[in-house]
Amino acid sequence: MNTDKIIAIKPMNFPWEAQDPFLFCAYHRDEYPAGNDQMGPDPVHLNGRNIGQDFTVKNGWRMYHGSAIPGFPYHPHRGFETITINKEGIVDHSDSLGAAGRFGKGDVQWMTAGKGVQHSEMFPLLNKDKENPLEIFQVWLNLPKANKFVEPHFKMLWNDVVPVVTEKDDDNKSTVIDVIAGSYKDTQAPAPTPNSWAANPENLVNVLTVKMEAGAQWTFPAAGGEVNRVLYFYKGSEITVEGESVDQNHLIQLNSLKDIIIVNSDHDAYFLMLQGKPINEPVAQYGPFVMNTEEEIRQAFEDYQKTAFGGWPWPLQEQVHDRDKGRFALHADGREEVR
């Protein structure tokens, strides 16, 4: 590459590779069929699937760890955060603290696992007479050692509080930026959870989703400091980044101290951008636990076996909410938000 603005260009696998302070990103796009009375697919569609471990795209969708309803039945986490960005479809959340929620297009759930929590993330098929497409990102953001054992917490960033910036180029072509964490120019995202690495502005954590119109040109401004910055080009045709041609399903590691000029081709282009100051601590990870040492991982398993991180207060492993219930968040302290 003949530019000092691009560090690397790499193909994207599942899950997407990330840089400190992020651990990875899982992108899910599923064209689910109409739902049955249990808000799952008709059982005839489950034939030939590895139920409980269905990560193979068949007929455009996957069941993941779900058996009757697609999604991720209850499972534990410790030592990091999940940021779930919903672009289409419905996600039902339930956790071991008694908290719950349902969120949809444009909503973001930010959960700090801290010292330990169990939660489920299910994808109920609410529509009985038409398809139920789902599109979400789940970003794993690490916690520093000092915050590995904070109290678990989750927060909803509803679509009406996530700022959206629209910019026009000289040809009146649009680039639309959703500001989920941090800031974009003079636009500030809503505050994250209180113990997040993103809660300190000095860490320059930035999470954006971006849509460029076909033929648009966009200048992505430099960050306020030297940080890890990755642009994930997950849908479109081809773009040019500082003169370098990049196909869809590639990530671009960017020099955060430089403005970056991106020119789109003949299809709309979609991106996720993750940026942040690295935590620069050792990472020991085993499945749902992310700590600093192997001994801490062993301790996490022991603690989970003893306490189940509070147990499971819900009747079902694949807990979903009533079909006619709207978007809401019920917090562990009994506070409820209704949208």
Side-chain angles (χ1 to χ4, degrees):
M1 287 177 289
N2 298 317
T3 176
D4 63 348
K5 296 186 176 185
I6 299 174
I7 298 169
I9 299 173
K10 301 179 182 180
M12 284 154 46
N13 299 310
F14 183 86
W16 297 348
E17 176 186 331
Q19 291 186 298
D20 189 1
F22 298 95
L23 298 162
F24 71 76
C25 175
Y27 172 66
H28 304 284
R29 175 74 200 185
D30 292 281
E31 305 291 342
Y32 289 116
N36 59 18
D37 289 342
Q38 289 71 48
M39 292 178 279
D42 189 310
V44 71
H45 295 310
L46 304 185
N47 294 334
R49 292 181 180 270
N50 183 18
I51 296 302
Q53 293 284 343
D54 178 31
F55 284 78
T56 300
V57 178
K58 180 181 179 183
N59 299 326
W61 53 276
R62 296 153 285 198
M63 284 293 288
Y64 301 103
H65 294 304
S67 61
I69 300 168
F72 296 85
Y74 78 93
H75 56 280
H77 289 305
R78 171 180 277 185
F80 66 101
E81 302 188 281
T82 62
I83 306 168
T84 306
I85 303 165
N86 189 313
K87 289 298 185 182
E88 189 172 10
I90 290 293
V91 178
D92 275 3
H93 164 86
S94 307
D95 68 33
S96 55
L97 305 178
R102 169 172 286 171
F103 57 101
K105 181 178 180 179
D107 298 329
V108 178
Q109 186 200 64
W110 198 305
M111 188 189 79
T112 303
K115 69 180 184 180
V117 67
Q118 290 194 73
H119 76 154
S120 69
E121 303 152 292
M122 304 305 299
F123 312 141
L125 309 185
L126 301 188
N127 299 323
K128 299 177 74 172
D129 57 353
K130 61 181 179 178
E131 294 184 341
N132 289 273
L134 175 85
E135 185 174 43
I136 63 170
F137 307 89
Q138 187 169 92
V139 178
W140 284 23
L141 174 61
N142 203 5
L143 286 167
K145 185 177 182 64
N147 286 351
K148 291 287 190 188
F149 286 91
V150 297
E151 292 295 324
H153 183 88
F154 94 91
K155 180 175 185 177
M156 287 306 308
L157 311 181
W158 301 108
N159 61 15
D160 59 349
V161 301
V162 175
V164 179
V165 178
T166 300
E167 296 187 340
K168 300 277 190 177
D169 64 15
D170 291 342
D171 294 324
N172 207 37
K173 299 285 189 176
S174 298
T175 297
V176 180
I177 303 105
D178 290 24
V179 188
I180 294 164
S183 62
Y184 177 79
K185 297 183 178 179
D186 295 328
T187 300
Q188 183 68 43
T193 50
N195 292 299
S196 174
W197 184 248
N200 184 345
E202 294 181 2
N203 293 331
L204 295 175
V205 173
N206 209 193
V207 178
L208 310 173
T209 58
V210 181
K211 176 186 177 183
M212 290 183 71
E213 186 180 353
Q217 178 172 309
W218 174 49
T219 299
F220 185 27
E226 190 168 359
V227 293
N228 288 330
R229 173 181 265 196
V230 181
L231 189 69
Y232 300 88
F233 178 29
Y234 68 93
K235 186 163 63 174
S237 175
E238 183 183 50
I239 58 172
T240 301
V241 182
E242 289 295 330
E244 295 285 336
S245 179
V246 182
D247 291 330
Q248 69 165 341
N249 292 321
H250 281 74
L251 65 84
I252 308 106
Q253 294 174 224
L254 299 173
N255 182 338
S256 64
L257 300 179
K258 305 284 187 177
D259 289 351
I260 306 293
I261 297 175
I262 301 173
V263 180
N264 192 17
S265 61
D266 55 355
H267 290 76
D268 290 350
Y270 296 80
F271 310 92
L272 172 72
M273 200 287 295
L274 300 180
Q275 169 192 292
K277 178 181 176 181
I279 294 172
N280 285 330
E281 293 178 354
V283 174
Q285 179 177 350
Y286 193 94
F289 306 137
V290 182
M291 305 302 292
N292 296 107
T293 67
E294 294 299 326
E295 174 56 35
E296 290 170 338
I297 292 291
R298 287 191 289 271
Q299 187 63 54
F301 276 99
E302 290 181 18
D303 291 347
Y304 178 60
Q305 289 169 355
K306 290 177 182 175
T307 70
F309 294 160
W312 190 245
W314 304 95
L316 301 173
Q317 295 183 19
E318 300 183 10
Q319 182 66 33
V320 292
H321 311 305
D322 291 343
R323 175 176 250 114
D324 58 356
K325 192 167 183 63
R327 293 152 55 234
F328 78 100
L330 174 64
H331 297 270
D333 61 5
R335 179 172 55 91
E336 187 169 10
E337 304 171 64
V338 178
R339 302 316 255 199

